[in-house]
Amino acid sequence: MRILIATAGSRGDVAPYTGLGAELARAGHEVTLAATDGFAALAEGAGLGFRRLPADARAHGGAGGRRDLLRTAAAFVTELGRGFADAVADGTDLLLLSATTAPLGWHLAEATGVPSLGVYLQPTAPTGDFPPAVTGTRSLGRAGNRAAGRFALRMADRVYAPAVAELRRRLGLPPLTAAAMRRRRERADWPVLHGFSRALVPRPADWRPGLEVVGTFWPHVGAGERLPAGLEDFLRAGPRPVLVGFGSMAAGEGDRLSEIAVAALRRAGLRGILQSGAAGLAAGGDDLFTVGEVPHALLFPRLAAVVHHAGAGTTAAALRAGVPAVAVPVTADQPFWAARLAALGAAPAPVPLRALTVERLAAALTLVTSRQTYTAAAARAARHMAGEDGAGRALKTIERVARDGNGRGGSAGQ
């Protein structure tokens, strides 16, 4: 099959699909990754084709209240929708959609008749087991959690409404709201494969049929990839260090966060690696090393702990390596994953970025590196994850659904 995987967002929203795509390609499929700018090299490194989606989440960023955030999100997805039809225009047999692109992809599937499946990195369907991943971590009780989950989807439908209306006009489709299309997909038990570990989020028993948790989609790492020579030298020069990195978060806060990280590491008596990321973390000294992007799978098993923003991918990578964490969540689904780490016992209570101080970070680092219970909990999760094969399970399901036509976009549920 000619398979198109469509996603949008930051590196953490794109990199996991390189591993899924590589697994599909090994099975003989022709796989193309459609993503926002800057990720062509990631796709090509995994042996995948690449098609550019025009939107740039950074261009629509900025601080503001909830209304401003909703407005900038709507602008992002409207821009995304304008390039979406072009990405799928020529020869696609199967469309795999992330949680961000699905509300647009459903309409494209209707227009073209191309079957589609969801490949999500977060749980989005309402459940009584926990509140929505994007609204906080306080449980509202089973009925309250389900109601909050439905409300979160309604808010998402509002964000997508202008983009959906414009996309349907462009595709020559009759008017249909974003909410009506979502309900249509749900009634049809549209299949969604969730690429996270059951060690972190077991499949809720109250989810509808078609929603499965298959295991983490790990970013592709080439057989010949190695850590930079300077980083190798640093790792060998002393005790296991701690990595501090905030991924695509905290842009413009590099100086403040670097100072906090360096002071906290030294107060805890630990060597450190600062991953520059969007914040631009940097520091020098015999006990410190600064790196850019490096494969988590190669670096994390050689660390004492990881201080991170609790993005889904980094959270899973630290657990897979059996390494404890200090979670410093910023926004979106990060508090959800941070709370999951703490519930597993692989991290202490999260420290939100806005509340991060030298004292709090040093105390948390001392705790996770001196108490073996955190490492033991991470190791238990790592053993569980080693028995999962997210991309392999997804491959089997994708081939079965494509064969049976269960992901048919144009007819199911209408």
Side-chain angles (χ1 to χ4, degrees):
M1 290 183 291
R2 291 165 298 180
I3 300 174
L4 183 75
I5 305 174
T7 186
S10 67
R11 185 184 181 95
D13 300 305
V14 177
Y17 297 110
T18 62
L20 174 61
E23 180 77 9
L24 295 167
R26 279 192 294 270
H29 303 294
E30 181 184 318
V31 185
T32 299
L33 181 68
T36 40
D37 249 355
F39 298 113
L42 271 185
E44 290 157 9
L48 311 178
F50 182 77
R51 293 183 195 162
R52 176 185 171 273
L53 296 177
D56 183 352
R58 294 166 298 182
H60 297 290
R66 176 169 291 186
R67 183 170 295 180
D68 290 334
L69 291 173
L70 290 174
R71 186 159 46 242
T72 55
F76 170 67
V77 298
T78 298
E79 189 179 352
L80 187 63
R82 287 171 184 155
F84 210 76
D86 296 334
V88 190
D90 56 336
T92 298
D93 300 317
L94 181 65
L95 191 56
L96 301 184
L97 301 168
S98 72
T100 306
T101 59
L104 298 169
W106 291 329
H107 305 273
L108 201 57
E110 179 188 343
T112 61
V114 173
S116 64
L117 283 85
V119 282
Y120 290 7
L121 304 180
Q122 303 87 6
T124 63
T127 174
D129 289 5
F130 45 80
V134 294
T135 63
T137 58
R138 188 169 67 89
S139 177
L140 305 172
R142 295 195 65 81
N145 288 342
R146 279 192 288 268
R150 290 190 293 271
F151 177 76
L153 291 180
R154 286 198 297 274
M155 294 302 291
D157 291 336
R158 285 181 58 186
V159 167
Y160 279 87
V164 164
E166 186 173 319
L167 180 60
R168 289 186 71 85
R169 282 195 302 270
R170 182 174 176 188
L171 294 171
L173 295 172
L176 185 74
T177 66
M181 177 57 94
R182 182 185 297 280
R183 289 192 295 270
R184 183 182 289 182
R185 296 295 92 207
E186 289 170 355
R187 285 196 303 270
D189 289 336
W190 185 69
V192 179
L193 309 176
H194 294 85
F196 49 76
S197 174
R198 294 180 296 282
L200 276 164
V201 185
R203 183 190 185 279
D206 59 355
W207 269 5
R208 65 166 174 81
L211 303 178
E212 298 301 333
V213 178
V214 296
T216 309
F217 301 147
W218 300 111
H220 174 76
V221 179
E225 284 195 59
R226 301 288 182 271
L227 295 175
L231 178 55
E232 276 288 356
D233 292 342
F234 180 78
L235 288 165
R236 293 185 183 128
R240 289 183 172 220
V242 170
L243 177 80
V244 181
F246 302 107
S248 60
M249 297 291 107
E253 296 189 59
D255 291 344
R256 179 181 77 88
L257 293 175
S258 297
E259 288 176 12
I260 290 174
V262 170
L265 286 163
R266 288 179 172 159
R267 186 173 296 190
L270 297 163
R271 301 199 313 145
I273 298 171
L274 272 59
Q275 188 165 31
S276 52
L281 299 185
D286 291 343
D287 59 339
L288 296 165
F289 193 87
T290 302
V291 296
E293 291 291 346
V294 294
H296 291 166
L298 300 183
L299 176 59
F300 282 16
R302 302 174 67 180
L303 300 174
V306 183
V307 178
H308 61 76
H309 60 300
T314 314
T315 297
L319 278 181
R320 181 195 202 185
V323 175
V326 175
V328 185
V330 184
T331 188
D333 60 336
Q334 295 160 18
F336 173 82
W337 297 113
R340 289 275 148 174
L341 275 178
L344 279 176
V351 183
L353 183 73
R354 64 181 180 276
L356 190 67
T357 62
V358 172
E359 293 74 20
R360 292 189 73 176
L361 183 54
L365 283 171
T366 300
L367 201 58
V368 296
T369 56
S370 61
R371 284 198 192 167
Q372 286 303 305
T373 53
Y374 293 104
T375 302
R380 282 194 301 274
R383 287 192 294 272
H384 187 289
M385 295 167 95
E388 297 177 327
D389 180 11
R393 281 192 63 191
L395 168 65
K396 291 176 183 173
T397 303
I398 287 165
E399 290 183 333
R400 187 187 72 243
V401 168
R403 186 172 59 247
D404 296 344
N406 293 356
R408 185 64 55 188
S411 57
Q414 293 189 22

